[in-house]
Amino acid sequence: LDASVEAIHSTAGRIVFSGVKCGPPLPGFRGVQVVSGSVDSEHSLLGQTRSCTECDRWSSSGCERPSVVGATVGLQDPADRNVVSGNLYGIIVAIASADARIIGNYVGIDATGSAALGNDVYAVMVTATGGGNVVGGSTPAERNVISGNGTGVYSSVAGTTISGNYLGTDAAGSAGIGNNTAVRLDNGATGNTVGGTTAGERNIISGNTGQYG
């Protein structure tokens, strides 16, 4: 694919994509960009080779959601897990997006869940003003493993929930694959929830290497 085009681009409606892996290293290339409608993604390799062992780093953003209501990135079936690794930014929920769900993904590790393949800046970046965006959930199937990245989850807006994830460990939760920073809540991140009131909503945040863990 030419560097001037996007692998998948939608201006309206709904797209389901599966088994996607696009192209050689292309600086500034976006894996997925949707500007309206809704998107479900499943079983995709975004930003790495098919062997899942080396980074292509073809994508500046593995998965970008500029302004979408009710988008889902990932599914609860492990067979449909996305591996979003080896990019500058992994998953972006931006502009006026609302009620997005980021569930069941490996972000910053390889498909085996045991080795780092980090996104350099943010693994999951939520800057959308619509609110109600959720990273993770209360069940193991909704758990994201977000490890080996610059920053695991970044939020600068109100109403983001980050729950039930492994941040800085392998997929088993038994070995460290540290992010530099696990969770960063920046200016404007009011009313955010990290964790929850049940055991299933608890994040495991461990093995991170930066000043803030």
Side-chain angles (χ1 to χ4, degrees), residues 45-178:
L45 306 177
L46 300 174
Q48 59 175 336
T49 64
R50 275 293 185 193
S51 67
C52 307
T53 58
E54 297 179 0
C55 300
D56 270 330
R57 297 191 180 277
W58 56 265
S59 174
S60 65
S61 301
C63 205
E64 184 170 13
R65 300 282 183 265
S67 186
V68 175
V69 175
T72 300
V73 181
L75 291 174
Q76 297 187 47
D77 185 344
D80 293 323
R81 176 183 296 117
N82 297 306
V83 180
V84 186
S85 301
N87 306 289
L88 292 179
Y89 298 84
I91 299 170
I92 299 174
V93 181
I95 308 178
S97 296
D99 302 322
R101 299 176 68 223
I102 312 299
I103 56 171
N105 302 287
Y106 285 177
V107 190
I109 56 174
D110 68 3
T112 70
S114 61
L117 197 58
N119 299 288
D120 289 344
V121 185
Y122 299 128
V124 179
M125 181 180 181
V126 182
T127 61
T129 58
N133 296 297
V134 178
V135 181
S138 60
T139 69
E142 293 172 307
R143 175 188 303 138
N144 299 289
V145 182
I146 303 172
S147 300
N149 304 285
T151 294
V153 182
Y154 172 89
S155 174
S156 62
V157 291
T160 302
T161 299
I162 304 161
S163 64
N165 303 288
Y166 287 176
L167 293 132
T169 76
D170 65 0
S174 59
I177 306 178

